[in-house]
Amino acid sequence: MHAPFFIASLVALAAIASAQTKRGLPAGCDRNATVEYGDTCNAISAAHNVSTYQLAAVNSETIDSGCNNLVAGEVLCLGIKGQDCNVTHVMQAGDTCFSVADASGIQVNTLLANNPNVNTCDNVYPGEVLCTASQIYVNTTK
Ligand SMILES: *[C@@H]1O[C@H](CO)[C@@H](O)[C@H](O)[C@H]1NC(C)=O
Ligand SMILES: *[C@@H]1O[C@H](CO)[C@@H](O)[C@H](O)[C@H]1NC(C)=O
Ligand SMILES: *[C@@H]1O[C@H](CO)[C@@H](O)[C@H](O)[C@H]1NC(C)=O
């Protein structure tokens, strides 16, 4: 690689990193994680006990709807204080909202309230992370 191009690339990368940092974390961020090269939203969610819904909702300013714009080195907020569900289940093939709620000892309605993205639960998929807490964290009055 030519040195000038290499340096230009570094400058471009630094600019991206700095833009990400400047945007900052949302107010009241409870915990955070730094994106690693090759990360996916569901991998981050599974590794940190944060639901797919919560990671997307908390970082809606930075992560696009398909989670295709993660940048290695960028810091994501994992949950907002007081609304931070950290009890989770990674969906496996064959899991349903009913089986997961049952195994977690919670009501299906609680599961649905904490994971608004699953709608009627016909769209869950292996690798998706659901909040399985018995407390409801998602503010439905928003
Ligand atoms: C991320 O969390 C750590 C503690 O785990 C904290 O020290 C750090 O300040 C947080 N980073 C940001 C940008 O808030
Ligand atoms: C995720 O939750 C499990 C089960 O409660 C716990 O053993 C694990 O330490 C948690 N991991 C993190 C990163 O909090
Ligand atoms: C979840 O959050 C609660 C309250 O902040 C904390 O006491 C607990 O240790 C956390 N559990 C895990 C698995 O991180």
Side-chain angles (χ1 to χ4, degrees), residues 27-49:
C29 186
D30 195 23
R31 42 192 184 121
N32 65 68
T34 302
V35 176
E36 286 170 28
Y37 184 78
D39 259 348
T40 63
C41 279
N42 281 341
I44 294 168
S45 294
H48 297 280
N49 293 342

PDB file of all heavy atoms in Angstrom, residues 27-49:
ATOM      1  N   ALA A  27     -28.013  10.275  27.643  1.00  0.00           N
ATOM      2  CA  ALA A  27     -28.040  10.650  29.060  1.00  0.00           C
ATOM      3  C   ALA A  27     -28.511   9.471  29.905  1.00  0.00           C
ATOM      4  O   ALA A  27     -29.388   8.714  29.483  1.00  0.00           O
ATOM      5  CB  ALA A  27     -28.980  11.831  29.259  1.00  0.00           C
ATOM      6  N   GLY A  28     -27.918   9.309  31.075  1.00  0.00           N
ATOM      7  CA  GLY A  28     -28.340   8.259  31.994  1.00  0.00           C
ATOM      8  C   GLY A  28     -27.898   6.870  31.581  1.00  0.00           C
ATOM      9  O   GLY A  28     -28.463   5.871  32.025  1.00  0.00           O
ATOM     10  N   CYS A  29     -26.856   6.814  30.762  1.00  0.00           N
ATOM     11  CA  CYS A  29     -26.392   5.499  30.308  1.00  0.00           C
ATOM     12  C   CYS A  29     -25.900   4.679  31.500  1.00  0.00           C
ATOM     13  O   CYS A  29     -25.103   5.134  32.298  1.00  0.00           O
ATOM     14  CB  CYS A  29     -25.281   5.661  29.273  1.00  0.00           C
ATOM     15  SG  CYS A  29     -24.807   4.077  28.569  1.00  0.00           S
ATOM     16  N   ASP A  30     -26.415   3.463  31.610  1.00  0.00           N
ATOM     17  CA  ASP A  30     -26.135   2.599  32.752  1.00  0.00           C
ATOM     18  C   ASP A  30     -24.862   1.785  32.538  1.00  0.00           C
ATOM     19  O   ASP A  30     -24.083   1.581  33.468  1.00  0.00           O
ATOM     20  CB  ASP A  30     -27.334   1.661  32.927  1.00  0.00           C
ATOM     21  CG  ASP A  30     -27.360   0.960  34.269  1.00  0.00           C
ATOM     22  OD1 ASP A  30     -26.743   1.476  35.216  1.00  0.00           O
ATOM     23  OD2 ASP A  30     -28.010  -0.091  34.360  1.00  0.00           O
ATOM     24  N   ARG A  31     -24.677   1.286  31.327  1.00  0.00           N
ATOM     25  CA  ARG A  31     -23.487   0.486  31.000  1.00  0.00           C
ATOM     26  C   ARG A  31     -23.208   0.628  29.520  1.00  0.00           C
ATOM     27  O   ARG A  31     -24.099   0.994  28.748  1.00  0.00           O
ATOM     28  CB  ARG A  31     -23.670  -0.990  31.397  1.00  0.00           C
ATOM     29  CG  ARG A  31     -25.028  -1.536  31.080  1.00  0.00           C
ATOM     30  CD  ARG A  31     -25.309  -2.882  31.722  1.00  0.00           C
ATOM     31  NE  ARG A  31     -26.615  -3.333  31.257  1.00  0.00           N
ATOM     32  CZ  ARG A  31     -26.844  -4.473  30.598  1.00  0.00           C
ATOM     33  NH1 ARG A  31     -25.862  -5.319  30.400  1.00  0.00           N
ATOM     34  NH2 ARG A  31     -28.043  -4.778  30.167  1.00  0.00           N
ATOM     35  N   ASN A  32     -21.959   0.385  29.145  1.00  0.00           N
ATOM     36  CA  ASN A  32     -21.584   0.580  27.750  1.00  0.00           C
ATOM     37  C   ASN A  32     -20.665  -0.552  27.282  1.00  0.00           C
ATOM     38  O   ASN A  32     -20.146  -1.320  28.090  1.00  0.00           O
ATOM     39  CB  ASN A  32     -20.910   1.941  27.577  1.00  0.00           C
ATOM     40  CG  ASN A  32     -19.596   2.039  28.327  1.00  0.00           C
ATOM     41  OD1 ASN A  32     -18.626   1.373  27.984  1.00  0.00           O
ATOM     42  ND2 ASN A  32     -19.570   2.860  29.386  1.00  0.00           N
ATOM     43  N   ALA A  33     -20.495  -0.630  25.965  1.00  0.00           N
ATOM     44  CA  ALA A  33     -19.583  -1.614  25.387  1.00  0.00           C
ATOM     45  C   ALA A  33     -18.961  -1.021  24.137  1.00  0.00           C
ATOM     46  O   ALA A  33     -19.579  -0.212  23.447  1.00  0.00           O
ATOM     47  CB  ALA A  33     -20.343  -2.886  25.029  1.00  0.00           C
ATOM     48  N   THR A  34     -17.723  -1.400  23.883  1.00  0.00           N
ATOM     49  CA  THR A  34     -17.027  -0.922  22.695  1.00  0.00           C
ATOM     50  C   THR A  34     -17.157  -1.963  21.592  1.00  0.00           C
ATOM     51  O   THR A  34     -16.913  -3.152  21.809  1.00  0.00           O
ATOM     52  CB  THR A  34     -15.540  -0.670  23.029  1.00  0.00           C
ATOM     53  OG1 THR A  34     -15.477   0.282  24.097  1.00  0.00           O
ATOM     54  CG2 THR A  34     -14.790  -0.118  21.822  1.00  0.00           C
ATOM     55  N   VAL A  35     -17.577  -1.522  20.419  1.00  0.00           N
ATOM     56  CA  VAL A  35     -17.757  -2.416  19.271  1.00  0.00           C
ATOM     57  C   VAL A  35     -16.410  -2.952  18.819  1.00  0.00           C
ATOM     58  O   VAL A  35     -15.440  -2.195  18.690  1.00  0.00           O
ATOM     59  CB  VAL A  35     -18.429  -1.664  18.103  1.00  0.00           C
ATOM     60  CG1 VAL A  35     -18.527  -2.554  16.861  1.00  0.00           C
ATOM     61  CG2 VAL A  35     -19.799  -1.148  18.518  1.00  0.00           C
ATOM     62  N   GLU A  36     -16.354  -4.266  18.617  1.00  0.00           N
ATOM     63  CA  GLU A  36     -15.129  -4.883  18.114  1.00  0.00           C
ATOM     64  C   GLU A  36     -15.308  -5.205  16.642  1.00  0.00           C
ATOM     65  O   GLU A  36     -16.427  -5.348  16.153  1.00  0.00           O
ATOM     66  CB  GLU A  36     -14.832  -6.165  18.902  1.00  0.00           C
ATOM     67  CG  GLU A  36     -14.312  -5.857  20.295  1.00  0.00           C
ATOM     68  CD  GLU A  36     -14.244  -7.085  21.184  1.00  0.00           C
ATOM     69  OE1 GLU A  36     -14.080  -8.191  20.640  1.00  0.00           O
ATOM     70  OE2 GLU A  36     -14.363  -6.906  22.409  1.00  0.00           O
ATOM     71  N   TYR A  37     -14.182  -5.319  15.931  1.00  0.00           N
ATOM     72  CA  TYR A  37     -14.231  -5.619  14.516  1.00  0.00           C
ATOM     73  C   TYR A  37     -15.020  -6.911  14.293  1.00  0.00           C
ATOM     74  O   TYR A  37     -14.781  -7.902  14.974  1.00  0.00           O
ATOM     75  CB  TYR A  37     -12.811  -5.747  13.956  1.00  0.00           C
ATOM     76  CG  TYR A  37     -12.814  -5.954  12.470  1.00  0.00           C
ATOM     77  CD1 TYR A  37     -13.025  -4.873  11.606  1.00  0.00           C
ATOM     78  CD2 TYR A  37     -12.651  -7.217  11.928  1.00  0.00           C
ATOM     79  CE1 TYR A  37     -13.076  -5.062  10.241  1.00  0.00           C
ATOM     80  CE2 TYR A  37     -12.691  -7.416  10.555  1.00  0.00           C
ATOM     81  CZ  TYR A  37     -12.914  -6.330   9.722  1.00  0.00           C
ATOM     82  OH  TYR A  37     -12.971  -6.521   8.371  1.00  0.00           O
ATOM     83  N   GLY A  38     -15.971  -6.896  13.397  1.00  0.00           N
ATOM     84  CA  GLY A  38     -16.744  -8.100  13.086  1.00  0.00           C
ATOM     85  C   GLY A  38     -17.953  -8.311  13.981  1.00  0.00           C
ATOM     86  O   GLY A  38     -18.689  -9.275  13.800  1.00  0.00           O
ATOM     87  N   ASP A  39     -18.165  -7.420  14.954  1.00  0.00           N
ATOM     88  CA  ASP A  39     -19.325  -7.536  15.839  1.00  0.00           C
ATOM     89  C   ASP A  39     -20.641  -7.404  15.085  1.00  0.00           C
ATOM     90  O   ASP A  39     -20.707  -6.733  14.051  1.00  0.00           O
ATOM     91  CB  ASP A  39     -19.298  -6.405  16.891  1.00  0.00           C
ATOM     92  CG  ASP A  39     -18.801  -6.869  18.243  1.00  0.00           C
ATOM     93  OD1 ASP A  39     -18.694  -8.085  18.457  1.00  0.00           O
ATOM     94  OD2 ASP A  39     -18.517  -5.996  19.093  1.00  0.00           O
ATOM     95  N   THR A  40     -21.672  -8.019  15.624  1.00  0.00           N
ATOM     96  CA  THR A  40     -23.037  -7.778  15.153  1.00  0.00           C
ATOM     97  C   THR A  40     -23.833  -7.314  16.368  1.00  0.00           C
ATOM     98  O   THR A  40     -23.412  -7.539  17.513  1.00  0.00           O
ATOM     99  CB  THR A  40     -23.690  -9.068  14.610  1.00  0.00           C
ATOM    100  OG1 THR A  40     -23.789 -10.018  15.692  1.00  0.00           O
ATOM    101  CG2 THR A  40     -22.871  -9.665  13.463  1.00  0.00           C
ATOM    102  N   CYS A  41     -24.972  -6.711  16.120  1.00  0.00           N
ATOM    103  CA  CYS A  41     -25.788  -6.250  17.247  1.00  0.00           C
ATOM    104  C   CYS A  41     -26.190  -7.420  18.141  1.00  0.00           C
ATOM    105  O   CYS A  41     -26.125  -7.318  19.364  1.00  0.00           O
ATOM    106  CB  CYS A  41     -27.023  -5.512  16.739  1.00  0.00           C
ATOM    107  SG  CYS A  41     -26.661  -3.805  16.282  1.00  0.00           S
ATOM    108  N   ASN A  42     -26.582  -8.543  17.529  1.00  0.00           N
ATOM    109  CA  ASN A  42     -27.008  -9.662  18.368  1.00  0.00           C
ATOM    110  C   ASN A  42     -25.845 -10.284  19.128  1.00  0.00           C
ATOM    111  O   ASN A  42     -26.036 -10.784  20.247  1.00  0.00           O
ATOM    112  CB  ASN A  42     -27.752 -10.715  17.532  1.00  0.00           C
ATOM    113  CG  ASN A  42     -29.193 -10.290  17.270  1.00  0.00           C
ATOM    114  OD1 ASN A  42     -29.727  -9.444  17.969  1.00  0.00           O
ATOM    115  ND2 ASN A  42     -29.799 -10.878  16.262  1.00  0.00           N
ATOM    116  N   ALA A  43     -24.643 -10.252  18.565  1.00  0.00           N
ATOM    117  CA  ALA A  43     -23.479 -10.771  19.292  1.00  0.00           C
ATOM    118  C   ALA A  43     -23.191  -9.883  20.507  1.00  0.00           C
ATOM    119  O   ALA A  43     -22.911 -10.382  21.603  1.00  0.00           O
ATOM    120  CB  ALA A  43     -22.256 -10.831  18.372  1.00  0.00           C
ATOM    121  N   ILE A  44     -23.296  -8.584  20.313  1.00  0.00           N
ATOM    122  CA  ILE A  44     -23.072  -7.650  21.428  1.00  0.00           C
ATOM    123  C   ILE A  44     -24.161  -7.862  22.482  1.00  0.00           C
ATOM    124  O   ILE A  44     -23.879  -7.934  23.684  1.00  0.00           O
ATOM    125  CB  ILE A  44     -23.084  -6.188  20.917  1.00  0.00           C
ATOM    126  CG1 ILE A  44     -21.876  -5.949  19.997  1.00  0.00           C
ATOM    127  CG2 ILE A  44     -23.091  -5.197  22.080  1.00  0.00           C
ATOM    128  CD1 ILE A  44     -21.939  -4.652  19.208  1.00  0.00           C
ATOM    129  N   SER A  45     -25.391  -7.982  22.023  1.00  0.00           N
ATOM    130  CA  SER A  45     -26.514  -8.190  22.942  1.00  0.00           C
ATOM    131  C   SER A  45     -26.317  -9.458  23.766  1.00  0.00           C
ATOM    132  O   SER A  45     -26.467  -9.443  24.989  1.00  0.00           O
ATOM    133  CB  SER A  45     -27.833  -8.286  22.166  1.00  0.00           C
ATOM    134  OG  SER A  45     -28.129  -7.057  21.559  1.00  0.00           O
ATOM    135  N   ALA A  46     -25.967 -10.549  23.080  1.00  0.00           N
ATOM    136  CA  ALA A  46     -25.799 -11.825  23.777  1.00  0.00           C
ATOM    137  C   ALA A  46     -24.649 -11.755  24.769  1.00  0.00           C
ATOM    138  O   ALA A  46     -24.746 -12.278  25.884  1.00  0.00           O
ATOM    139  CB  ALA A  46     -25.563 -12.947  22.760  1.00  0.00           C
ATOM    140  N   ALA A  47     -23.573 -11.089  24.398  1.00  0.00           N
ATOM    141  CA  ALA A  47     -22.393 -11.035  25.266  1.00  0.00           C
ATOM    142  C   ALA A  47     -22.619 -10.189  26.514  1.00  0.00           C
ATOM    143  O   ALA A  47     -21.961 -10.396  27.530  1.00  0.00           O
ATOM    144  CB  ALA A  47     -21.195 -10.491  24.479  1.00  0.00           C
ATOM    145  N   HIS A  48     -23.553  -9.243  26.435  1.00  0.00           N
ATOM    146  CA  HIS A  48     -23.728  -8.295  27.546  1.00  0.00           C
ATOM    147  C   HIS A  48     -25.086  -8.362  28.220  1.00  0.00           C
ATOM    148  O   HIS A  48     -25.440  -7.464  28.993  1.00  0.00           O
ATOM    149  CB  HIS A  48     -23.461  -6.870  27.057  1.00  0.00           C
ATOM    150  CG  HIS A  48     -22.054  -6.660  26.588  1.00  0.00           C
ATOM    151  ND1 HIS A  48     -21.000  -6.445  27.452  1.00  0.00           N
ATOM    152  CD2 HIS A  48     -21.516  -6.675  25.356  1.00  0.00           C
ATOM    153  CE1 HIS A  48     -19.879  -6.327  26.758  1.00  0.00           C
ATOM    154  NE2 HIS A  48     -20.166  -6.461  25.479  1.00  0.00           N
ATOM    155  N   ASN A  49     -25.866  -9.396  27.931  1.00  0.00           N
ATOM    156  CA  ASN A  49     -27.186  -9.515  28.566  1.00  0.00           C
ATOM    157  C   ASN A  49     -28.029  -8.276  28.315  1.00  0.00           C
ATOM    158  O   ASN A  49     -28.579  -7.683  29.239  1.00  0.00           O
ATOM    159  CB  ASN A  49     -27.042  -9.741  30.091  1.00  0.00           C
ATOM    160  CG  ASN A  49     -26.422 -11.081  30.429  1.00  0.00           C
ATOM    161  OD1 ASN A  49     -26.385 -11.980  29.600  1.00  0.00           O
ATOM    162  ND2 ASN A  49     -25.934 -11.205  31.652  1.00  0.00           N
TER     163      ASN A  49
END
